[in-house]
Structure formats: C-alpha cells, structure tokens
Amino acid sequence: MEKGTVYLVGAGPGDPDLLTVKAARLIAAADVVVHDGLVDDAILALTRADARLISVAKQRSRHSVPQEGINAILVREALAGHAVVRLKGGDPFIFGRGGEEVDACRDASVPVEVIPGISAAVAGGAQTLLPLTHRDASSAVTFVAGQCKGLSDQNWAGLAGKGRTLVIYMGVATADGISEKLIADGLSPDTPVAVLERVGRKDGRALRTILTDLGGMIAREAVRSPAIIIVGDVVLMSNAEDRLAALAREAEYLA
C-alpha cells in the first residue's frame, strides 16, 4: 500500500479568509483531519463530507491526547494510505509543536509537508493596527512562551525595551510573574503593554495598560486564553483600548 502524506497546516487565527490558498485546498481534499480545539468551526466546515475529523483539543494546559499519541495517529493514518491534515491554530512552527510532529513522521519514513499559517502575533498586530516593527520605534521582535517550566530561571534581559518588541504567547495565567520578571530584568514599570484576546474572532478584544498593571488589568477585565501579550512602545500606535486611563476616569467619576 502506498503511504499517504501528513500535512501540517496552519489554520491561522480563526478567520477562514486568512487561510492560505494551499491550506484551504488541502483541508478540502483531506481524508483525515486531526485538529486542535482552537480551530474555528468555519474552517472545519471546509472539510469533505466523508472526511474523518479527529479532535485532539487541549484543555487546562494538557492535551486530551498526549503529544506522543497525536504523533502516533498521524503516522498510523498516513501508513494506511490516507491524506492527513494536521490542522493547527496559528502557524505549526510557532509554539505549535510542529517540529515534534515532523520528527515523528521522519522517524516512520512518512512523507510530511508544512503549510505555514498566520500566527496570532501577526494577525493581532494587523487587526489592531499595531506594527510589530517600526522604523521609529522597533527594529527587533522576539516571540517567547509565557507558560513553561522554569519561567523564573529564564533570562529575558534585552528582549524588551527601547527599540524592541516582545510578544508573549500563553502568558495570561502567569501575567503577574511575567510583569515582575521583566521589571526585575530592568524594564520600566511604565512600559506600554497590550493584551490581544481571541485574535481574529468576532468576540476578540484589544486592551492596553502599562507593565506594572498587566496582571491587574487581566484580572479586572477577566481576560481568558487564547490571548497574547505585546510589550513595547509600538503598543501606543495601536487602537487597543487604554484600560488604565478608563480606570482612572471611573475612579475620578466616583470620587
């Protein structure tokens, strides 16, 4: 039996209009679609009526199917001769464990291809008119994961500050620690920060404050994942709602 191919497809931020043409074509043609929980129903609706959809949704910082199990599903279905789409939110190679899945396919001699998607940082920046780089404000941008083992031991010095933009994925739950860490590493407490919640979706929000208020704002506004945090002067160029100023106005009104 001829082997099938595994396609690691970036679903982008959720809007089907932001899929690449190749991603849409492969989703529509796949025999099997192994998808994350964050993939929008409108994108899953592009699949064939007879395609098998396998959810490997992540819940509360754990996969319903562990990564090793996901790898096994991809290899098994491809060895059975199926065209397999591994559909992942954002981009497969930006905090998407795409590298691990590529390795699993290679180890099993299964053909594998990666189709990039629009990552949350890029989509969120575009949606809120927030340029991740700007000639007058930022010549460097760094992506980091805010929810991982050993966060307090990592050295983020130099990743944020004047002329730089820091994008933090999966940082909502650890926002207080992130704020304290960056300030301890030398960043000004008044550094602008934005939180982009549910990027690319109709119920998404873009909020901003200053670094020292990051955890406080997330708590006050009941921000929930998925959301990304952007740190740097470019935040002031965006149309994100200034929630610290709004809080001050509310306090003045009540006084």
Side-chain angles (χ1 to χ4, degrees), residues 119-203:
S119 189
V122 176
Q127 183 178 334
T128 60
L129 305 182
L130 192 164
L132 297 180
T133 63
H134 191 286
R135 284 199 303 170
D136 297 330
S138 177
S139 61
V141 58
T142 303
F143 297 163
V144 300
Q147 189 172 4
C148 57
K149 294 180 180 179
L151 175 62
S152 60
D153 296 327
Q154 294 182 41
N155 181 9
W156 287 5
L159 298 186
K162 187 173 179 58
R164 288 158 287 176
T165 304
L166 178 63
V167 179
I168 304 166
Y169 286 72
M170 301 170 286
V172 169
T174 54
D176 284 323
I178 287 170
S179 176
E180 292 172 3
K181 177 180 180 61
L182 289 172
I183 292 171
D185 285 345
L187 209 57
S188 168
D190 294 332
T191 301
V193 296
V195 177
L196 310 184
E197 181 185 31
R198 298 185 67 80
V199 169
R201 298 170 189 259
K202 292 180 180 178
D203 59 348

Side-chain angles (χ1 to χ4, degrees), residues 53-249:
L53 273 60
I54 302 174
S55 173
V56 290
K58 185 177 182 181
Q59 297 177 346
R60 294 189 179 183
S61 299
R62 64 179 180 85
H63 282 284
S64 57
V65 180
Q67 187 61 50
E68 294 77 8
I70 296 172
N71 297 348
I73 292 170
L74 300 179
V75 169
R76 181 190 71 214
E77 296 295 339
L79 290 177
H82 299 138
V84 183
V85 163
R86 172 67 174 106
L87 193 56
K88 309 168 80 69
D91 180 272
F93 277 178
I94 298 183
F95 303 121
R97 299 192 178 184
E100 297 173 46
E101 292 168 357
V102 165
D103 288 342
C105 292
R106 283 174 170 165
D107 290 344
S109 298
V110 166
V112 60
E113 185 176 337
V114 179
I115 292 81
I118 298 177
S119 189
V122 176
Q127 183 178 334
T128 60
L129 305 182
L130 192 164
L132 297 180
T133 63
H134 191 286
R135 284 199 303 170
D136 297 330
S138 177
S139 61
V141 58
T142 303
F143 297 163
V144 300
Q147 189 172 4
C148 57
K149 294 180 180 179
L151 175 62
S152 60
D153 296 327
Q154 294 182 41
N155 181 9
W156 287 5
L159 298 186
K162 187 173 179 58
R164 288 158 287 176
T165 304
L166 178 63
V167 179
I168 304 166
Y169 286 72
M170 301 170 286
V172 169
T174 54
D176 284 323
I178 287 170
S179 176
E180 292 172 3
K181 177 180 180 61
L182 289 172
I183 292 171
D185 285 345
L187 209 57
S188 168
D190 294 332
T191 301
V193 296
V195 177
L196 310 184
E197 181 185 31
R198 298 185 67 80
V199 169
R201 298 170 189 259
K202 292 180 180 178
D203 59 348
R205 293 187 293 172
L207 312 171
R208 71 176 172 92
T209 184
I210 58 176
L211 183 58
T212 192
D213 182 51
L214 175 61
M217 183 190 74
I218 285 175
R220 291 192 307 272
E221 301 294 334
V223 174
R224 296 289 180 266
S225 295
I228 58 171
I229 299 167
I230 300 180
V231 183
D233 289 341
V234 290
V235 165
L236 298 177
M237 302 178 184
S238 74
N239 61 14
E241 184 181 356
D242 186 346
R243 293 308 301 159
L244 190 61
L247 184 66
R249 289 194 298 270

